[in-house]
């Protein structure tokens, strides 16, 4: 049996008629950049996340970049983030000649550890030569929000902006002390990605900045079109960060089905949890299941399972064995950003972030998508069990 790690065709086939019609409508309109479809999508996603403003942009990476630009972050500034994330989280900081400062993650959630963050900020502020910590970018990895109450408390204490990297967490909820809120409604701004493999994926690249701060939203809007305030008058140096009408139109078709898809992901995560338990694997210390930290908070979207990630003993051998059996898996991420060649000048060393480095050796994402069939999940679980029985 073949179980790919992701099956985008299954989703397309289920909505093909609607999608094809909408795409042809955009072609007929010959309006391709920004425009009414983008504006509608901005309103719909702002409303979904409970924020006042949405600005559609060219990708999730550009959403982070333009948010940093709008906050005035640039040369010599320090921005604290996780080393256990997709490259763009830190790459965007470095592109602005600011400096990524990494902070280790929490073992259970894989998100920024508030304890480590507190220690780091205290240390950085004490270093007189490094007074320019400006922002924190917490990442809501795999679809589960970082501990935003604790992170926001630290941000307030040190006067820092908070950009939520919610590229893997569209629609995810967090039980804050002010009640349950969605990702992107917790920080200064939040960023989404519509890369095709994300939970809400377009027909190519796309992204969005969400914020409750009207002033910041206005800056992002101007920076999105090169910093143009009115036709051919430029108040700032921005870029071409525009979202295409085709992407917005396609995303709006998907948005109708999106809440159901999120639920289907959660159900499949529960099936994995149960079946892997029944196979006795977590108990034997061979694998560890994902920790859904907010499961009993009453929030429906306590985790949106962009990825279902286990920790596995002999991870690489397990991955190879699963591949032999037609089961696709992935490792997000095999190397911490602090150890990437392009960041060697930052001066980090192996051992600097032990929790991240352990995760890099152990994590394995099992196939996860709303269309995953029960027999496919059975196959995945029995292949994992078989691998460990043979050892
Ligand atoms: C996908 C992703 C991004 C970048 O989004 P793109 O749309 O691919 O540019 C940034 N951060 C994280 C955590 C992501 O998963």
């Amino acid at each position: 049996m073949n179980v790919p790690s992701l099956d985008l065709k299954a989703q397309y086939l289920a909505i093909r008629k609607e999608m094809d019609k909408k795409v042809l409508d955009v072609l007929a309109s010959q309006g391709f950049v920004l425009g009414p479809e983008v504006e509608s999508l901005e309103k719909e996603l702002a409303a979904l996340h409970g924020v006042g403003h949405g600005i559609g942009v060219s990708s999730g990476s550009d959403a982070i970049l333009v948010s940093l630009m709008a906050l005035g972050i640039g040369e010599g500034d320090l921005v604290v983030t996780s080393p256990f994330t997709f490259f763009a989280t830190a790459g965007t900081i470095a592109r602005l000649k600011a400096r990524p400062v990494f902070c280790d993650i929490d073992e259970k959630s894989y998100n920024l550890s508030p304890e480590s963050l507190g220690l780091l900020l205290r240390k950085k502020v004490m270093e007189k030569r490094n007074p320019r910590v400006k922002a924190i970018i917490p990442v809501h990895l795999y679809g589960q929000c970082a501990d935003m109450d604790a992170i926001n408390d630290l941000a307030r204490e040190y006067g820092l902006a908070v950009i939520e990297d919610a590229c893997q967490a569209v629609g995810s909820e967090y039980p804050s002390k002010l009640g349950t809120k969605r990702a992107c409604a917790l920080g200064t701004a939040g960023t989404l990605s519509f890369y095709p493999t994300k939970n809400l994926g377009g027909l190519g690249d796309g992204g969005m900045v969400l914020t409750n701060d009207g002033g910041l939203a206005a800056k992002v809007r101007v920076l999105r079109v090169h910093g143009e305030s009115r036709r051919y008058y430029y108040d700032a140096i921005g870029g071409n960060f525009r979202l295409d009408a085709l992407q917005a139109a396609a995303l709006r078709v998907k948005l109708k089905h999106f809440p159901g898809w999120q639920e289907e992901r959660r159900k499949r995560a529960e099936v994995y949890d149960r079946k892997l338990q029944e196979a006795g694997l977590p108990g034997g210390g061979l694998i560890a299941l994902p920790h859904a930290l907010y499961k009993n908070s009453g929030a429906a979207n306590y985790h949106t399972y962009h990825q279902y990630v286990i920790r596995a003993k002999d991870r690489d051998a397990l991955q190879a064995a699963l591949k032999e059996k037609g089961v696709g898996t992935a490792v997000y991420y095999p190397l911490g950003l602090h150890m990437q060649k392009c960041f060697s000048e930052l001066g980090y060393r192996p051992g600097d972030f032990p929790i991240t480095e352990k995760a890099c050796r152990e994590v394995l994402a099992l196939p996860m998508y709303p269309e995953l069939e029960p027999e496919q999940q059975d196959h995945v679980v029995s292949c994992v069990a078989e691998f460990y029985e043979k050892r």
Side-chain angles (χ1 to χ4, degrees), residues 339-354:
M339 286 291 99
Q340 299 290 344
K341 189 173 168 190
C342 68
F343 290 138
S344 59
E345 276 183 18
L346 297 176
Y348 290 105
R349 291 276 165 270
D352 280 349
F353 303 112

Side-chain angles (χ1 to χ4, degrees), residues 47-81:
L48 176 72
H49 292 85
V51 301
H53 311 272
I55 306 100
V57 295
S58 31
S59 68
S61 306
D62 285 344
I64 302 169
L65 184 70
V66 75
S67 300
L68 289 165
M69 289 168 79
L71 288 164
I73 286 161
E75 191 157 3
D77 291 335
L78 307 186
V79 179
V80 182
T81 193

Side-chain angles (χ1 to χ4, degrees), residues 113-360:
S113 153
E115 289 73 33
S116 304
L117 182 63
L119 291 173
L120 175 78
L121 290 174
R122 217 154 299 149
K123 194 173 130 232
K124 281 288 159 204
V125 170
M126 305 254 274
E127 287 171 14
K128 286 228 175 56
R129 273 184 296 153
N130 271 333
R132 297 180 67 181
V133 184
K134 289 284 175 67
I136 309 167
I137 309 185
V139 182
H140 305 322
L141 205 69
Y142 305 146
Q144 179 169 246
C145 288
D147 186 358
M148 291 303 294
D149 277 344
I151 292 169
N152 281 333
D153 284 347
L154 287 164
R156 248 187 310 275
E157 184 180 341
Y158 291 95
L160 308 176
V162 177
I163 300 172
E164 297 169 64
D165 180 343
C167 290
Q168 299 187 6
V170 53
S172 296
E173 288 174 284
Y174 171 77
S176 84
K177 52 192 176 190
L178 301 172
T180 294
K181 291 191 181 191
R182 299 263 184 169
C184 302
L186 298 153
T188 317
T191 59
L192 300 179
S193 165
F194 308 130
Y195 187 73
T197 62
K198 304 287 161 103
N199 284 25
L200 180 63
L203 311 178
D205 282 308
M208 193 169 285
V209 177
L210 294 172
T211 180
N212 271 317
D213 180 334
L216 191 67
K219 281 187 189 159
V220 171
R221 270 183 203 288
V222 168
L223 291 169
R224 175 174 69 174
V225 287
H226 296 289
E228 185 180 64
S229 56
R230 63 191 165 97
R231 202 81 181 123
Y232 302 127
Y233 289 81
Y234 303 88
D235 293 354
I237 300 167
N240 175 356
F241 301 132
R242 296 178 300 238
L243 181 63
D244 288 340
L246 195 63
Q247 302 308 337
L251 290 162
R252 293 187 68 219
V253 170
K254 289 198 175 182
L255 204 48
K256 282 183 257 168
H257 305 273
F258 175 70
W261 288 337
Q262 300 279 70
E263 201 176 318
E264 294 301 328
R265 283 178 183 272
R266 221 156 27 242
K267 280 188 191 153
R268 278 151 188 76
E270 279 172 9
V271 168
Y272 272 138
D273 282 350
R274 193 179 67 244
K275 297 206 158 156
L276 290 165
Q277 291 275 13
E278 283 167 6
L281 294 161
L286 299 168
I287 69 166
L289 301 181
H291 294 272
L293 297 176
Y294 315 126
K295 190 165 182 172
N296 299 317
S297 70
N301 292 285
Y302 57 85
H303 196 319
T304 52
Y305 293 100
H306 174 56
Q307 301 296 346
Y308 183 90
V309 176
I310 60 169
R311 284 182 190 265
K313 190 165 183 277
D314 301 325
R315 191 263 322 269
D316 293 342
L318 172 62
Q319 184 175 33
L322 290 173
K323 191 175 173 197
E324 287 275 298
K325 302 273 178 181
V327 175
T329 59
V331 174
Y332 307 110
Y333 296 92
L335 184 65
L337 294 185
H338 64 297
M339 286 291 99
Q340 299 290 344
K341 189 173 168 190
C342 68
F343 290 138
S344 59
E345 276 183 18
L346 297 176
Y348 290 105
R349 291 276 165 270
D352 280 349
F353 303 112
I355 302 174
T356 291
E357 289 164 28
K358 185 160 182 274
C360 290

